[in-house]
Amino acid sequence: MPSEEEIYQEHILDHYEDPFHNGPLLDATHAHHDKNPLCGDVVRIALKLDPAGKIEDCAFEGDGCVISQASASMLLEALCGKTVDEVKAFTAEDMLKLYGPRLTPNRQKCCLLSWRVIQQAVYSPVER
Amino acid sequence: MVPLTDFLLDASLRDDFPLLAQDVHPGQPLVFLDNAASSQRPRQVIDAIVHCYEHDYANVHRGIHVLSERSTDAYELARRKTQAFLAAEHAHEVIFTAGTTAGINTVARSWGDANVHAGDELLLTPMEHHSNLVPWFQLAERTGAVIRHMPMSDDGVLQLDRLDEVLTERTKLVAFTAVSNTLGTINPVEALCRRARAVGAVSLVDAAQSAPHLTTNVQQMGCDFLVFSGHKLCGPSGVGVLYGRETLLETMPPFLGGGSMINRVYDDRFTPADLPAKFEAGTPPIAGAIGLGAALDYLTAIGLERIAAHEHTLVERAWSGLSQIAGIRLLGPAPGGSDDPCRAGLVSFVLDRPHAHDIAQLLDRRGIAVRAGHHCTQPLHDRMGIAASTRASFYLYNTPAEVDLLIAALGEVRERFRPTGRRRRGRIDA
């Protein structure tokens, strides 16, 4: 059982209070949203992909627990500027490693919500 | 009559519950405030189950041997204890099920499929647990019936003065919870059953949250069906009760088919058994029912009225303490308010931050077990404009000191997540 200090490390609280690219992305080319039915956590990720398949810009919107929202911020910070292929190669295990603190299986779902969303977002062009 | 406030049961009854005496983390004694999800069991119930398995166990209603006779006697004694607990007219009106959910599904499948037709209306409330919603949605899908909801005030009290808007001669069923598992509202069961009967509708009372805490009298309530679970009232999991009025149960077709529920089976047809076996297909939860009987004995010996008063004292203390925390929103009617005594012994709340799951995680570090999420009432949470809430639910073994621990811990939790103007380190965007 991870301790409170482990789960809510300072850098995680930093991301929660001062998230990376939190808000709408008006010129998004791809977007997807999903929720964690157990908790009600919601995350929407919007991507602006250039013709070569690189993430030119990205942003997330959401509502939910510290883990779900901080992990979304951390994920976008890590993948902004990367290619779609690099997103696809980024595994769930990579996401848990990026988050850092050890999580119980239930809280892993919170952490992996944004990862599931971005994996789907790269296949989800925005209708215009 | 026990006064509703300032009454506490003797804390020595905690000694009856072996599970309570433990540290869940080093130096953190368990504070179990998740009783609305499932309660703990006293030694008396555990002993009854152990005794069954160590001395008497065999299948019931089958064997011509001593153990089967002993088990059958114990199982049927549990039925009579349940009859007395519910003040039902007949023991065969008590059907043992797998739990509240199984009971509701049995009524929806058996009574519902036989009696509900396209255009008929099923009247529910906005505060129902998913288990008292989904079976009726499924029935509506099968039959073309229409789902309606009773009007409810913003603080979570059903508006009986507006019941005529939705309760009409088209209403075939009125199904509602006696106590909301999220709001803690105690609903006016008698009045609702009477109003249902006045338009010719059948009533079903979900007593999962009331039977553990309040006196149940099905004849006084005037209900047609009532369901509850063993595990929420100090009994085992996997057993529950469906009460039905004899005249209704007699006319209903069996739901699950199998052994026990038959009178005679031929090559291609069967005739059903009499009540209650007609609705108890297969080997029933034998030890479960025996344990349930012991739980009912235990609660009855203490007295449901005294248990309710104890919990009301705790919830008043919790409400007044929690309401002092900045940024908190307490759900449901306030205890001691004009609607009192419609307040049961649980309190759900939302903090401006953090989210319910973070709250539960931090409370757990302090040994405090609460429920966080939507408590299987998603439509109610949608209506209140929240994704999730945190719930502390009390039972006979909880103490004022535990309530105070909860209040103090929540103050700390909110402080921990107070915005402090912190910035992400090494941010790469400008």
Side-chain angles (χ1 to χ4, degrees), chain A residues 1-4 7-8 10-11 13-21 37 39-41 64-66 77 107, chain B residues 353 355 357-358 361-362 364-366 374 378 387-388 416-417 419-425 427-429:
Chain A
M1 183 76 189
S3 78
E4 178 176 325
I7 293 176
Y8 300 105
E10 290 300 315
H11 76 281
L13 295 179
D14 291 347
H15 272 275
Y16 182 61
E17 193 172 327
D18 179 30
F20 176 87
H21 288 201
C39 318
D41 298 331
C65 67
V66 170
E77 190 181 54
R107 302 310 306 268
Chain B
R353 64 166 43 196
H355 182 273
H357 278 81
D358 302 308
Q361 184 109 46
L362 290 157
D364 176 64
R365 294 306 310 171
R366 291 157 177 78
H374 50 61
Q378 279 180 344
R416 176 142 169 70
F417 286 90
T420 55
R422 53 169 77 236
R423 311 291 290 175
R424 248 178 310 121
R425 271 152 276 187
R427 58 190 297 170
I428 52 176
D429 60 323

Side-chain angles (χ1 to χ4, degrees), chain B residues 51 58 61 205 266:
Chain B
H51 188 274
H61 301 136
V205 179
Y266 304 92

Side-chain angles (χ1 to χ4, degrees), chain B residues 323-374:
Chain B
S323 58
Q324 302 300 312
I325 296 173
I328 202 167
R329 174 182 169 195
L330 298 168
L331 308 179
S338 57
D339 292 319
D340 212 25
C342 77
R343 179 82 220 177
L346 64 89
V347 54
S348 300
F349 52 87
V350 185
L351 282 180
D352 49 358
R353 64 166 43 196
H355 182 273
H357 278 81
D358 302 308
I359 295 173
Q361 184 109 46
L362 290 157
L363 291 181
D364 176 64
R365 294 306 310 171
R366 291 157 177 78
I368 304 172
V370 295
R371 175 79 191 266
H374 50 61

Side-chain angles (χ1 to χ4, degrees), chain B residues 219-402:
Chain B
Q219 297 188 69
Q220 197 178 321
M221 286 174 168
C223 58
D224 294 308
F225 298 107
L226 181 140
V227 287
F228 68 93
S229 297
H231 69 94
K232 290 192 206 285
L233 42 63
C234 298
S237 62
V239 66
V241 169
L242 161 62
Y243 158 83
R245 270 198 308 119
E246 180 188 43
T247 47
L248 267 169
L249 292 176
E250 290 286 7
T251 61
M252 285 159 52
F255 166 41
L256 294 177
S260 287
M261 52 73 71
I262 48 90
N263 175 33
R264 182 80 169 84
V265 178
Y266 304 92
D267 280 347
D268 56 358
R269 65 196 169 87
F270 74 100
T271 54
D274 290 335
L275 291 175
K278 180 166 107 175
F279 291 104
E280 291 184 359
T283 294
I286 298 166
I290 291 166
L292 172 62
L296 300 182
D297 284 345
Y298 182 81
L299 295 176
T300 308
I302 292 169
L304 271 297
E305 257 191 29
R306 298 174 63 208
I307 292 170
H310 172 86
E311 292 167 359
H312 199 274
T313 303
L314 296 182
V315 82
E316 280 209 324
R317 189 184 188 94
W319 192 280
S320 74
L322 292 174
S323 58
Q324 302 300 312
I325 296 173
I328 202 167
R329 174 182 169 195
L330 298 168
L331 308 179
S338 57
D339 292 319
D340 212 25
C342 77
R343 179 82 220 177
L346 64 89
V347 54
S348 300
F349 52 87
V350 185
L351 282 180
D352 49 358
R353 64 166 43 196
H355 182 273
H357 278 81
D358 302 308
I359 295 173
Q361 184 109 46
L362 290 157
L363 291 181
D364 176 64
R365 294 306 310 171
R366 291 157 177 78
I368 304 172
V370 295
R371 175 79 191 266
H374 50 61
H375 323 312
C376 297
T377 56
Q378 279 180 344
L380 177 63
H381 277 75
D382 288 346
R383 189 188 157 104
M384 296 189 290
I386 51 179
S389 59
T390 308
R391 177 184 69 194
S393 50
F394 310 115
Y395 209 5
L396 69 169
Y397 37 67
N398 291 123
T399 65
E402 290 181 312

